[in-house]
Amino acid sequence: MKGLTTTVRSAPPDRIHFKLEGRSVALDRRVHAARGDLADLSLAGTLFSAHYARAVELTCVASGVPVLAQPSTSAQAISELLRGEHFHALDVTTDWAWGFCGHDGYVGYVRREALDVLETATHRIVAAAAPLFSQPDIKSPIIDYWPRGALFGATEQEDFLAAGDGFVHVRHAAAVDALEQDWVEVALRYLGQPYVWGGRGHRGVDCSGLVQVALGQCGIAVPRDTDLQCEGIGSPVPAVEPLRRGDLVFFPGHVGFMADSETLLHANAHWMAVVTEPLADVVARLAASHPEPIIARRRIGA
């Protein structure tokens, strides 16, 4: 994986160069890949940087890997890549790749060993955790477990899907274009999974991660963080209108789905798990620290 970074530096007139007109603009660095020494080539002409790089698209080959704020195993996890999701690398060192996630543009650092050449997915894991068998035989040794939502390319071999790494049982996967229709039903399948900051379903999930993966499996791409989701998902539900199944309720730094008109389905740090509970209980719990616990209500579709 050496030489993945293509950097555009100051060059003679016959080489690529850019002209920045006006002031350099302030961009949200969560979703615009720019740091002190390097920026995504797509930002040239918008943001001044000493160097620009052309992204190289790679595939996550680990069952799940954290996206970190800094190139250190002790750094905070800000998101997570699942097996088969793409990462656009702008800078690669011996241990780390810096760039952005293909599904939402979220910027961070990923361990280099978790990334490999680009793979086209044909299937998606639909089981809570699918065993990856070493042979097309349920009694064969298990190599790994791939989480719900993981993507992979495979060919069918009777009851198994032959992936590059091993074999997945056909009962545990579906065609990548066989989208779910009910995002609440998808989110309910995560009930009991531990709350993990930055998680998107590999051994844990956080509130906005649950929203993102549930909607994503229904073919609805949404941002990673709650504030961006609040601005970018659906349309406002007036306060006088009753909530209904599938609506999103936003709190300060938190979000959940309505499982019905009175019940919230959410990954939360209070219970440290994905749970359902009365919305009224959540509001009461937050009222001590937030005068207005509910800051927005959003609805997808009519």
Side-chain angles (χ1 to χ4, degrees), residues 184 187-188 191 210 256-259 263-267 274-277:
V184 174
L188 284 168
L191 276 175
L210 179 64
F257 288 113
M258 293 304 295
T263 306
L264 189 72
L265 165 60
H266 62 145
V274 179
V275 302
T276 57
E277 60 180 322

Side-chain angles (χ1 to χ4, degrees), residues 60-226:
C60 175
V61 292
S63 55
V65 63
V67 179
L68 303 174
Q70 299 294 331
S72 168
T73 54
S74 62
Q76 184 183 85
I78 52 178
S79 192
E80 183 175 58
L81 279 174
L82 302 181
R83 202 272 172 218
E85 291 183 326
H86 293 170
F87 187 77
H88 297 252
L90 293 162
D91 186 24
V92 179
T93 64
T94 302
D95 300 315
W96 297 96
W98 176 74
F100 54 95
C101 302
H103 59 276
D104 60 7
Y106 214 76
V107 178
Y109 291 85
V110 173
R111 294 197 317 272
R112 173 179 165 173
E113 64 188 18
L115 303 171
D116 209 330
V117 296
L118 188 63
E119 176 184 308
T120 300
T122 58
H123 292 79
R124 182 182 70 253
I125 298 297
V126 295
L132 182 67
F133 297 98
S134 56
Q135 299 295 327
D137 181 346
I138 61 172
K139 296 180 182 179
S140 67
I142 295 172
I143 302 170
D144 200 357
Y145 289 88
W146 287 350
R148 188 189 312 279
L151 304 169
F152 62 103
T155 56
E156 287 199 32
Q157 291 188 7
E158 297 184 352
D159 292 337
F160 288 86
L161 297 163
D165 312 78
F167 298 85
V168 175
H169 199 280
V170 292
R171 300 289 190 194
H172 294 157
V176 73
D177 56 358
L179 298 175
E180 301 281 353
Q181 301 299 314
D182 183 346
W183 50 88
V184 174
E185 178 60 33
V186 175
L188 284 168
R189 296 170 193 160
Y190 290 82
L191 276 175
Q193 189 167 100
Y195 177 88
V196 173
W197 181 269
R200 296 179 59 250
H202 177 241
R203 301 176 182 168
V205 64
D206 65 15
C207 64
S208 57
L210 179 64
V211 167
Q212 187 183 61
V213 296
L215 290 174
Q217 290 171 40
C218 294
I220 303 171
V222 301
R224 179 63 179 90
D225 290 346
T226 53

